[in-house]
Each structure stands twice: as C-alpha cells, then as structure tokens.
C-alpha cells in the first residue's frame, strides 16, 4: 500500500518486455482513460470521489488535510510514499454498507473461542449493531473501510470478491472445467440455467486482463440494481455423521449415532453458519433436563420466547422421529418448516452474496465513468 504499483507503471513494464526503452507516463495513462471514459474523465472523477467516496476512503480527514474537493489524492512524501492510503480503517456497521454480512458475524475471536487471543477486549466491547437480527455481541457486525490504492489490480470487489464477474479457467480439456455458476433468480433463489446466467470471465492475471476485470467490477459496484444475485450452493449431498459417546474405564463407547444428510442445492453458507453443536446439545438437554434448557434460554430470549423455542424443539424432534429408521435423516426439509429455529441457531442467515454497497448508484452515467477512470489512476 505504501509503494503501490500504479497502472501506468504496470503498463510501462509490459511495453518494456518488447522494448527496453519504452515509456508509458502518468499523463499517457490519463489521456488513454479520458479517451475511453470521456473527455476530462479523470479530472471529473477526482471531484466525484471527493464528493461521494472520500469520507470513508481517505486516511486524511478534512479536519487535517482540508476540503476533499481541493485534495491531491496522489500526493506523496519525499520518499515517494503516498500521504493518503485511500482508506480510514474505521469500523462501519454492516447495516450501513449493506454487503454480505456473514463474515462480519463470525465468532472465532470471541471469549473462550478458538481464536480468542487474536481479538482484543476493546474489540469484544464494541456496541451491538442495531438492525442485525442474528447474534452480534462480542464486537461482531462491522466491516473496515479498506484502501483503494491499486484498485485496478484487485477486482472483483468486497470481502468475498462477489461484486463483479465470476472468474474461471478455460481449459482445453473440458473435463477439467470445474466452474459452478452461483447465479440465481432473485424471486425463487433457484440456480439459473447456464444459458440464462452471466458467463464467467476467463482469468487473465496480466495487466490488461486485470484492468478489464476492474472496469466490469466497477460497473457492477456502481449499478447494484443490475446485479444478478449470487448464492453458493452445494452441488452434491454432504453426509454429517453425529454420535453420542460415553467414556467407560478410559474407553469410548458409542451410545447412539445417526447421519445427517445435507442435500444438494442447500446454501453452503447456511451449512457453515448453523451452530450444529449448540443445536445437538440442546436436543440432548431437551431430553434430559427440559426445565433447565428453558431456564437457560430464558436468560437470552425471555420467558415467553424460551417456552416457545422449547416447544418448537419438541415438535422438531417429533418430525425427525417420523423419518426412515435407516440411520440417515434429512433434516433440512424439516428445519425449513421451523424458520425461527434456523435463525436462532445460525450465526448468519444471509444468502445473497453480492448485495450491498449502494454508494454511487445515483450518480449519472457520465460521473460513474469518470469515477472508474479516476480510481484506475490511484
């Protein structure tokens, strides 16, 4: 970030492969971008950025560096290091940025969790984010405003690379083509047939390949209403063996076991965000100590909601028991009829992966092109 590879430098390096004396200056880049995106696009884009983006994507606030409208965002110190790294590292509630919230709701850093030592007490003391229905205590529910330096080389965008085209390889042997389209119909959330879904973009890591991907991703970013939704789904059934074991005389003994079959087509995030251990433990406690379970749940849910949750768990168990006695159960269909339980036992229930970041959607087409041109110079 301190010494970015600017697009004009990268293009010059490509030219030098054929001619060691070749040059491609910053002015040449501006001229090329103005030709591609409109007269004076780069200059206009700087003002669009100042008016619409800099409050989150500038490391120098106006109180220190003066008005954004008069800022040279490419200014550097005597060592050539950028003064503004185009991000403020500040926390933005996921409800404000609107992007896929599941990563912001992970619990690995929380007290008594596996990566506790990688999180600070300050982080865990952050206020809950209003408007997030899933658990978001312990500092969850935020994203940081990242740097936009060398943005042209880092598309697709967002923390999950979902905003922009899907990229894939195009092997000569089609048996080695492993791409699976995530595009869905927004209403039904069913996967679109291949002939209806946007085609994946052949991965090209060279300079012009990255620049082309950047332009398409910026167009996607600035036009959220035109995005085709993406949801990653399982393309095969996934068996999850569950067993309850006891330890007698130092040896484990299986008490009961079953295989939970997660069927093809299930949302992948729904599987990984479901708290299976909490769910299984509560089913055991429901059998052994239902009153204790209800009392424990009441601490978080309140008495009435705790009673309703316990009753719904009883209903769920009854439906499970009606399933075939071959040791395999298909809980997904059953769980779908109990959406409150799915929500209660999930760290995140979001599914569409490329929603959000609506900033810039109301700009004129000319200003959108100008912003794309300007950010390509940063």
């Amino acid at each position: 970030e301190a010494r970015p590879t600017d697009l004009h430098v990268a293009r010059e390096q490509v030219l030098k492969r054929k001619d060691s004396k070749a040059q491609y200056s910053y002015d040449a880049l501006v001229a090329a971008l103005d030709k591609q995106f409109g007269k004076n696009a780069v200059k206009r884009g700087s003002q669009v950025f100042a008016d619409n983006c800099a409050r989150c994507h500038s490391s120098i606030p106006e109180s220190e560096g003066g008005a954004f409208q008069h800022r040279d965002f490419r200014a550097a110190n005597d060592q050539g290091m950028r003064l503004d790294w185009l991000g403020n590292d500040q926390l933005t509630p996921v409800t404000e940025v609107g992007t896929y919230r599941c990563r912001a709701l992970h619990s690995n850093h929380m007290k008594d969790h596996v990566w506790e030592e990688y999180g600070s007490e300050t982080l865990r003391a952050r206020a809950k984010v209003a408007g997030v229905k899933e658990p978001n205590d312990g500092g969850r529910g935020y994203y940081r405003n990242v740097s936009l330096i060398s943005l042209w080389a880092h598309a697709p965008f967002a923390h999950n690379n979902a905003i922009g085209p899907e990229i894939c390889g195009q092997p000569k042997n089609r048996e080695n083509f492993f791409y699976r389209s995530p595009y869905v119909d927004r209403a039904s959330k069913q996967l679109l047939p291949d002939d209806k879904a946007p085609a994946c973009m052949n991965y090209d890591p060279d300079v012009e390949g990255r620049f082309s991907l950047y332009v398409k991703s910026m167009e996607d970013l600035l036009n959220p209403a035109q995005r085709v939704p993406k949801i990653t789904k399982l393309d095969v059934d996934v068996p999850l063996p569950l067993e309850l074991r006891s330890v007698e005389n130092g040896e484990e003994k299986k008490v009961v076991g079953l295989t939970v079959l997660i069927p093809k087509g299930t949302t992948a995030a729904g599987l990984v965000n479901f708290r299976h251990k909490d769910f299984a433990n509560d089913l055991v406690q429901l059998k052994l100590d239902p009153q204790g379970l209800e009392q424990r749940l009441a601490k978080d849910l309140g008495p009435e909601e705790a009673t309703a949750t316990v009753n719904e768990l009883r209903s769920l168990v009854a439906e499970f028991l009606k399933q075939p006695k071959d040791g395999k159960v298909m809980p997904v269909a059953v769980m779908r009829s109990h959406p409150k339980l799915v929500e209660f036992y999930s760290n995140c229930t979001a599914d569409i992966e490329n929603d959000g970041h609506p900033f810039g959607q109301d700009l004129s087409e000319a200003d959108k092109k100008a912003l794309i041109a300007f950010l390509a110079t940063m």
Side-chain angles (χ1 to χ4, degrees), residues 57 65 82 108 129 149 173 177 203 213 228 271 278-279 281 287 294 317 330 338-339 346:
H57 290 291
R82 291 281 185 90
N108 288 341
V129 177
I149 285 182
N173 182 354
F177 184 71
Y203 178 61
L213 182 59
V228 181
L271 171 61
D278 290 348
F279 177 66
N281 288 341
K287 178 67 175 178
E294 188 167 338
V317 170
M330 296 279 285
H338 297 270
S346 293

Side-chain angles (χ1 to χ4, degrees), residues 318-375:
E319 292 177 52
F320 278 161
L321 293 176
K322 294 178 182 178
Q323 296 203 24
K325 307 294 183 180
D326 59 0
K328 293 184 179 181
V329 297
M330 296 279 285
V332 175
V334 177
M335 292 296 293
R336 282 174 179 157
S337 64
H338 297 270
K340 288 186 178 180
L341 287 180
V342 173
E343 184 175 325
F344 178 69
Y345 287 103
S346 293
N347 279 334
C348 180
T349 56
D351 49 12
I352 296 177
E353 299 162 12
N354 59 336
D355 271 351
H357 199 287
F359 314 108
Q361 65 180 350
D362 296 327
L363 295 173
S364 68
E365 287 304 310
D367 280 353
K368 289 177 182 179
K369 290 182 178 180
L371 183 60
I372 295 172
F374 170 71
L375 287 176

Side-chain angles (χ1 to χ4, degrees), residues 55-312:
R55 70 179 183 90
C56 290
H57 290 291
S58 172
S59 59
I60 306 174
E62 290 186 300
S63 59
E64 296 179 15
F68 291 135
Q69 287 80 2
H70 307 298
R71 188 81 57 83
D72 176 8
F73 292 102
R74 288 181 50 82
N77 62 18
D78 293 339
Q79 288 75 44
M81 298 177 66
R82 291 281 185 90
L83 298 178
D84 192 330
W85 53 270
L86 301 185
N88 60 17
D89 207 31
Q90 296 299 307
L91 297 171
T92 299
V94 68
T95 49
E96 180 179 340
V97 69
T99 49
Y100 188 59
R101 65 180 180 271
C102 289
R103 186 170 181 178
L105 297 175
H106 77 86
S107 59
N108 288 341
H109 67 280
M110 293 175 64
K111 189 72 173 176
D112 299 325
H113 288 220
V114 63
W115 300 117
E116 174 187 351
E117 298 302 322
Y118 288 83
S120 67
E121 294 305 319
T122 302
L123 181 152
R124 286 187 279 269
R126 292 188 305 213
K128 288 186 176 182
V129 177
V132 175
K133 57 185 178 180
E134 297 95 344
N136 64 104
D137 56 322
R140 295 180 281 184
Y142 297 85
Y143 284 126
R144 293 184 182 275
N145 301 327
V146 299
S147 172
L148 301 185
I149 285 182
S150 300
L151 186 67
W152 69 270
H154 295 106
F157 302 135
H159 65 275
N160 57 356
N161 298 119
I163 299 180
E166 289 292 293
I167 56 177
C168 60
Q170 295 291 348
K172 293 181 179 179
N173 182 354
R174 298 308 289 176
E175 291 183 0
N176 294 329
F177 184 71
F178 300 118
Y179 170 74
R180 297 293 180 271
S181 172
Y183 292 103
V184 301
D185 174 76
R186 185 172 290 275
S188 68
K189 296 186 178 179
Q190 296 299 308
L191 288 173
L192 292 173
D194 289 342
D195 61 341
K196 301 293 183 182
C200 61
M201 187 171 176
N202 188 34
Y203 178 61
D204 179 3
D206 211 341
V207 173
E208 294 312 313
R210 288 181 179 273
F211 178 69
S212 178
L213 182 59
Y214 158 78
V215 172
K216 292 180 182 299
S217 297
M218 282 296 297
E219 291 170 347
D220 216 22
L221 181 78
L222 296 173
N223 296 282
Q226 297 177 19
R227 297 177 204 158
V228 181
K230 300 178 184 180
I231 300 178
T232 301
K233 298 192 176 191
L234 302 179
D235 61 348
V236 295
D237 293 343
V238 176
L240 296 177
L242 300 177
E243 292 183 356
L244 181 63
R245 291 174 174 263
S246 64
V247 179
E248 298 178 7
N249 300 321
E251 295 185 0
E252 289 188 1
K253 180 180 179 181
K254 176 179 174 180
V255 177
V256 66
L258 55 85
T259 298
V260 174
L261 200 63
I262 310 300
K264 174 182 176 179
T266 302
T267 301
L271 171 61
V272 299
N273 281 298
F274 190 74
R275 299 194 304 277
H276 303 88
K277 291 182 179 179
D278 290 348
F279 177 66
N281 288 341
D282 285 358
L283 291 181
V284 172
Q285 189 174 7
L286 177 68
K287 178 67 175 178
L288 301 178
D289 181 20
Q291 185 176 1
L293 173 63
E294 188 167 338
Q295 290 174 348
R296 177 168 60 81
L297 294 179
K299 295 178 181 179
D300 293 326
L301 302 176
E304 292 185 6
E305 190 66 25
T307 299
T309 300
V310 169
N311 288 336
E312 194 159 0

